[in-house]
Amino acid sequence: MGICLAVTGLIIVGVVVGVVVAGKKTSSSTRSTGSSGSTGASPNSPVQQTDPNDPSKFTKDPDLHQAFYGMAYTPVGSQLPDCGNSLAAVIQDVQIMSQLTKRIRLYGADCNQSALVLEAIKQTKVDMTVFLGNYPIATDNGAAYQRQRDVIQDAIKTYGTDHIGGVTVGNEFMLNYLNANSATDPNSAVGDQGAAILISNIQDTRDMLTSLGVTLQVGNSDAGSYFNNKVLAKVDYGLANVHPWFANVSADDSASWTANFFQEVDIAQAANISNNPKMYIAETGWPTKSSDAGNANNGPSLASEANLQTFLDNFVCQANANGTGYFFFEFCDEDWKDKQFGGVEGWWGLFSQDRKLKNVKIPNCVAP
Ligand SMILES: *[C@@H]1O[C@H](CO)[C@@H](O)[C@H](O)[C@H]1NC(C)=O
Ligand SMILES: *[C@@H]1O[C@H](CO)[C@@H](O)[C@H](O)[C@H]1NC(C)=O
Ligand SMILES: *[C@@H]1O[C@H](CO)[C@@H](O)[C@H](O)[C@H]1NC(C)=O
Ligand SMILES: *[C@@H]1O[C@H](CO)[C@@H](O)[C@H](O)[C@H]1NC(C)=O
């Protein structure tokens, strides 16, 4: 009985978390914003490239360690209609991120971000894998999906699959679909209607890969308590957002809460499905500030660098040791999200928008 209640409690929190996340958070690839086509590489670059003509020659920062299983990443200026990202800026990001992790995940494919990241990995010659992303919209008759599928296909043709970990189809698709249709249960009849759209996109991506003659894993990403079983049955991997901050958990409890939630909700759900897709944490992290005082905390979960440090210290090396695959959220603060959504949305980076490490110590362990 006690166990039952505990699990139910987690799922309810998960649903609430999902709704809260949905209310504030958004696509890293598809929302338009008037302010996204900005910066590019910062003028006083944080990376010392020792040969200006060779991005593979750069000085390593002794404060950085390859402690993270993976990192959530969106190049600056990757939202339509403005775009504005640049290869130079992505190369600089890859130079930094390669000192933190061997894996990054993208959310979408607009503004040529798949090719830019693969080109940056090629030029920097770093040992990195990218999970490409396709961010479909439920209400556009497949336009966003097809547009992104086509550029992902081009990128695979140009760069091959050596540095691609998989193709993730869908980001918070079920969460958004259910919210838009005033439903909450991803496995209800309404959930299955949304799932049918996603499943046809997933199958289409598999067909595209087959037509190229390549073998790549195909996955799906959603809020941690929003997976539809029929979708999970069609993917090789699932990426689950698990956010202690949005669940009103204190920084001290955040790592164990995250581990428990992921285990009891996502791993358990996937284990119940015959293909048993591999589950990863798609996003977990901690914001360091809020643009307004009202959003600076969710109950005991206070946005601060000190609390990000607490989460880093209690989560990163422990999750590595436990064999948990996760993508830390996130590499850098995202100015466009702050401008569009305010609150804590723009302030989840380990690094600031100008690529300076915040006042945190990167844990000193080596991720698998
Ligand atoms: C996409 O990026 C790649 C790598 O930098 C470049 O070769 C290609 O021309 C770009 N395509 C477009 C449409 O910008
Ligand atoms: C696993 O499947 C059984 C039978 O369909 C179901 O009763 C149970 O709730 C499922 N467990 C999870 C964690 O999804
Ligand atoms: C978290 O706390 C805020 C107030 O700070 C409240 O509005 C919200 O409902 C709480 N959420 C959960 C999941 O408890
Ligand atoms: C790692 O596993 C231990 C033991 O199962 C658990 O208590 C802890 O919460 C886990 N931590 C992480 C970050 O996964």
Side-chain angles (χ1 to χ4, degrees), residues 12-13 16-17 20 246-248 294 297-300:
I12 289 167
V13 169
V16 174
V17 173
V20 173
F246 284 112
N248 296 14
N297 67 74
N298 250 343

Side-chain angles (χ1 to χ4, degrees), residues 155-175:
I156 294 171
K157 278 189 194 156
T158 306
Y159 296 99
T161 57
D162 287 357
H163 293 277
I164 303 176
V167 181
T168 311
V169 179
N171 183 63
E172 294 185 344
F173 184 94
M174 293 303 304
L175 173 64

Side-chain angles (χ1 to χ4, degrees), residues 27-164:
S27 149
S28 298
S29 73
T30 50
R31 289 286 179 99
S32 62
T33 159
S35 60
S36 64
S38 53
T39 38
S42 107
N44 41 359
S45 164
V47 184
Q48 300 296 322
Q49 192 169 304
T50 47
D51 176 347
N53 299 314
D54 184 352
S56 75
K57 302 223 159 58
F58 57 95
T59 306
K60 307 287 192 303
D61 181 340
D63 290 337
L64 305 186
H65 311 289
Q66 256 187 4
F68 297 89
Y69 182 87
M71 192 69 61
Y73 175 57
T74 302
V76 172
S78 297
Q79 291 76 42
L80 290 176
D82 304 325
C83 295
N85 53 18
S86 75
L87 181 61
V90 175
I91 283 175
Q92 177 185 282
D93 287 347
V94 166
Q95 288 169 331
I96 302 172
M97 285 190 290
S98 67
Q99 301 174 62
L100 297 166
T101 186
K102 292 187 154 109
R103 301 173 192 85
I104 53 183
R105 66 169 287 239
L106 295 172
Y107 290 79
D110 282 330
C111 304
N112 203 24
Q113 54 184 298
S114 321
L116 288 173
V117 168
L118 287 163
E119 178 68 26
I121 291 173
K122 184 178 163 189
Q123 291 197 23
T124 54
K125 302 192 174 83
V126 295
D127 173 18
M128 286 190 102
T129 294
V130 55
F131 288 73
L132 302 178
N134 186 328
Y135 203 136
I137 308 283
T139 51
D140 70 354
N141 281 317
Y145 166 76
Q146 287 161 24
R147 177 179 77 229
Q148 293 172 83
R149 175 203 59 201
D150 291 348
V151 286
I152 287 172
Q153 175 169 340
D154 286 347
I156 294 171
K157 278 189 194 156
T158 306
Y159 296 99
T161 57
D162 287 357
H163 293 277
I164 303 176

